[in-house]
Amino acid sequence: MEPTQLGKIKKTDFENTLFKLNNSQAMDYDKHNEFNFETNENTIIHLYYNDKGHIGSWSDGRGWYFANNLPKNLNDAQGVTA
């Protein structure tokens, strides 16, 4: 499953885009804290799911979606905006 990066995007804009790509169906959400002991830094990753599995992630102003788990035809995904 290869992710597609949406690039720099606000979290609310990413969530709205992902919601549209998920046919406006409810999504599950989880927040993951990843700690790097070498740099002593914590990164928060926001994870989104539907019935098929992991559909997207957002962290530090960047978003990714997983087309294989989304119901919409994603050939037109570039035209989807929040």
Side-chain angles (χ1 to χ4, degrees):
M1 175 168 54
E2 189 72 25
T4 300
Q5 186 176 27
L6 291 175
K8 191 124 177 103
I9 187 170
K10 293 179 185 175
K11 184 174 176 261
T12 53
D13 292 341
F14 173 75
E15 289 173 340
N16 289 334
T17 298
L18 197 58
F19 185 71
K20 290 176 186 176
L21 292 174
N22 196 43
N23 284 342
S24 301
Q25 298 296 310
M27 302 178 291
D28 289 327
Y29 168 82
D30 196 12
K31 185 163 59 169
H32 173 74
N33 290 299
E34 190 169 291
F35 189 78
N36 184 328
F37 289 94
E38 292 178 14
T39 62
N40 201 31
E41 293 178 339
N42 186 51
T43 301
I44 298 172
I45 304 170
H46 303 269
L47 307 166
Y48 302 86
Y49 301 90
N50 66 12
D51 292 339
K52 290 181 163 186
H54 185 201
I55 58 173
S57 298
W58 184 91
S59 183
D60 293 328
R62 301 211 178 270
W64 299 263
Y65 67 85
F66 299 90
N68 293 352
N69 289 339
L70 286 164
K72 241 189 197 353
N73 179 353
L74 295 179
N75 292 331
D76 300 322
Q78 294 85 6
V80 176
T81 58

